[in-house]
Amino acid sequence: MPEPVSCDIAIVGGGLAGGLAALALARRRPELDVRLIEPGAVGGNHVWSFFDADVAARDRWLVEPLIGHRWDGYDVAFPAHRRSVPMPYNSITGEALAEAVAAALPAGRLIAKSAILLAPQAVGFDDGTRLGARHVIDARGVGDLAGIDCGWQKFVGQALRIEGGHGLARPVVMDATVAQIGGYRFVYCLPFDAETAFVEDTYYSDDAALDVAAVRDRIAAYADARGWTVTGVEREETGWLPVVMAGDFDRFWPEEAGVARIGVRAGLFHATTGYSLPDAVCTAAALPWMVDRSDLGAMLRKGAAKAWRRQRFYRMLGAMLFRAAAPEERYRVFERFYRLSPGLIARFYAGASTARDKLRILSGKPPVPVGKALAALAKLDWR
């Protein structure tokens, strides 16, 4: 093979975690030679949203310039409960992340190749070339889920152009008044401008199979039911997120694996929602002060293992949702949850629930049969 080219940091994967990591290193450590390896578009065709409380004030410098839309609150709707939640909400797009990375990285640092072999200090490409690096960081998204017991949050989202406007003043984070199909189903709406709304049809299902054509038809039916005249679809994204109930972290990321990991590849995501942005921002913001250490991979793994342990409560909730509630009744879990205080809701999404929060979430009239919940927990190693 050709002699490898040397650099300081090689980040493999230009999704959310990898893009943010490259951006953070470029801004805070411009003297480092950082390469971002991504054969497709950096950021992909994605919209990521987050609550203000999801990102620590000390890390806002990284994500604030990427925010394309911001609202002062959001709505939820369930068959027996509707509510406006006064909690600031933000969205960024893959295009915004790509533009920021392109502006921050010097020419030639973005490598549009497919990596087929990763080692702690080298990356091998499908064209036979190699890249040597002081550190290689794997940010390629979901990896091997063998040994992980999970359900799925899967979705199709479309940015709809609506003649005469959509009439939405703020996001609708969950509209669960729709027919419950294949598990817990809700529609998510973001008003991008007066005549453009991003509409995502989402399912908490037992499998990851997604009939995109059928979901497109349901989005069209939802728009029609709202009285919207859709004149075009400006963007579409599809995807799925794991909702983890149980799993062995040491099997997911073996200690002997060697290569450093970040993002979903490192198991850094909310076990109940599958969302990874808060962890991706936190990790990226810390990387500039970590990369000088020779044991970077071990440090990142230790942090990820600690985060995995902190997610125990959320894995337990996932087990109750998927194993104790009938698919068509799962919405009742979220309907009850959204009767709780805004502060508790914010801490839940941030993965920072207090002991009192956890007790409050589990107390009162249970939305799932207690016997089934206990049986579900007994069958799973949800540590």
Side-chain angles (χ1 to χ4, degrees):
M1 299 180 70
E3 190 68 21
V5 176
S6 297
C7 67
D8 292 303
I9 313 294
I11 302 169
V12 183
L16 179 63
L20 288 174
L23 191 58
L25 289 166
R27 288 181 176 172
R28 290 293 196 255
R29 299 292 303 275
E31 77 280 9
L32 296 177
D33 183 344
V34 177
R35 311 291 177 94
L36 181 61
I37 300 161
E38 172 54 58
V42 171
N45 181 32
H46 293 291
V47 176
W48 297 286
S49 298
F50 63 98
F51 303 102
D52 272 6
D54 291 347
V55 176
R58 67 178 181 275
D59 297 335
R60 293 284 297 196
W61 63 269
L62 177 57
V63 74
E64 192 75 33
L66 304 175
I67 296 173
H69 304 279
R70 178 178 171 83
W71 304 271
D72 60 3
Y74 65 94
D75 298 332
V76 294
F78 297 90
H81 178 61
R82 292 176 180 266
R83 182 181 186 184
S84 293
V85 184
M87 189 185 303
Y89 197 56
N90 314 274
S91 284
I92 65 176
T93 63
E95 292 87 346
L97 179 59
E99 290 174 7
V101 169
L105 288 182
R109 301 285 179 85
L110 180 59
I111 301 174
K113 293 184 180 182
S114 294
I116 59 173
L117 177 65
L118 272 66
Q121 294 181 309
V123 180
F125 300 107
D126 58 356
D127 63 358
T129 61
R130 296 177 64 201
L131 175 70
R134 186 154 53 93
H135 294 298
V136 172
I137 300 176
D138 190 351
R140 292 178 295 172
V142 178
D144 184 4
L145 292 177
I148 302 296
D149 195 335
C150 60
W152 307 95
Q153 185 189 160
K154 56 193 182 184
F155 55 86
V156 175
Q158 295 182 332
L160 306 180
R161 194 70 181 166
I162 301 165
E163 183 179 348
H166 44 67
L168 297 174
R170 55 174 59 193
V172 181
V173 168
M174 286 185 178
D175 183 352
T177 62
V178 295
Q180 297 298 293
I181 302 169
Y184 171 46
R185 177 193 175 211
F186 64 91
V187 176
Y188 168 77
C189 303
L190 299 176
F192 281 170
D193 60 41
E195 293 192 339
T196 307
F198 182 75
V199 179
E200 184 179 281
D201 203 332
T202 303
Y203 304 77
Y204 271 72
S205 297
D206 296 324
D207 61 70
L210 185 61
D211 186 339
V212 175
V215 181
R216 286 175 181 152
D217 289 342
R218 290 174 197 149
I219 292 174
Y222 181 82
D224 186 62
R226 276 190 168 268
W228 295 342
T229 300
V230 177
T231 59
V233 176
E234 296 187 347
R235 65 183 297 144
E236 179 179 273
E237 66 172 288
T238 64
W240 49 264
L241 305 171
V243 179
V244 176
M245 292 173 276
D248 182 353
F249 180 81
D250 290 331
R251 183 176 177 186
F252 178 77
W253 185 351
E255 190 170 4
E256 65 274 12
V259 178
R261 301 183 187 182
I262 60 174
V264 177
R265 197 78 171 192
L268 292 171
F269 56 90
H270 196 297
T272 308
T273 67
Y275 296 155
S276 61
L277 185 142
D279 286 303
V281 173
C282 183
T283 302
L287 269 179
W289 322 120
M290 299 173 65
V291 293
D292 290 329
R293 296 189 52 149
S294 60
D295 60 345
L296 176 64
M299 286 181 63
L300 288 171
R301 186 184 181 280
K302 182 178 179 180
K306 184 177 180 180
W308 186 273
R309 291 192 295 271
R310 288 199 304 267
Q311 286 284 317
R312 180 187 182 195
F313 174 74
Y314 305 109
R315 289 195 294 276
M316 181 185 71
L317 294 182
M320 294 171 67
L321 177 68
F322 279 93
R323 297 292 186 260
E328 67 277 5
E329 298 292 321
R330 287 174 185 162
Y331 78 90
R332 297 185 186 277
V333 174
F334 292 92
E335 185 175 63
R336 178 183 176 279
F337 172 76
Y338 265 106
R339 294 181 185 272
L340 302 175
S341 72
L344 181 151
I345 293 169
R347 290 187 292 273
F348 171 85
Y349 280 114
S353 299
T354 65
R356 187 173 182 177
D357 291 339
K358 295 173 184 178
L359 181 61
R360 183 69 184 90
I361 289 170
L362 296 175
S363 64
K365 183 179 179 181
V368 299
V370 174
K372 287 187 176 181
L374 293 175
L377 296 180
K379 292 178 180 178
L380 293 173
D381 179 7
W382 47 274
R383 295 173 293 175

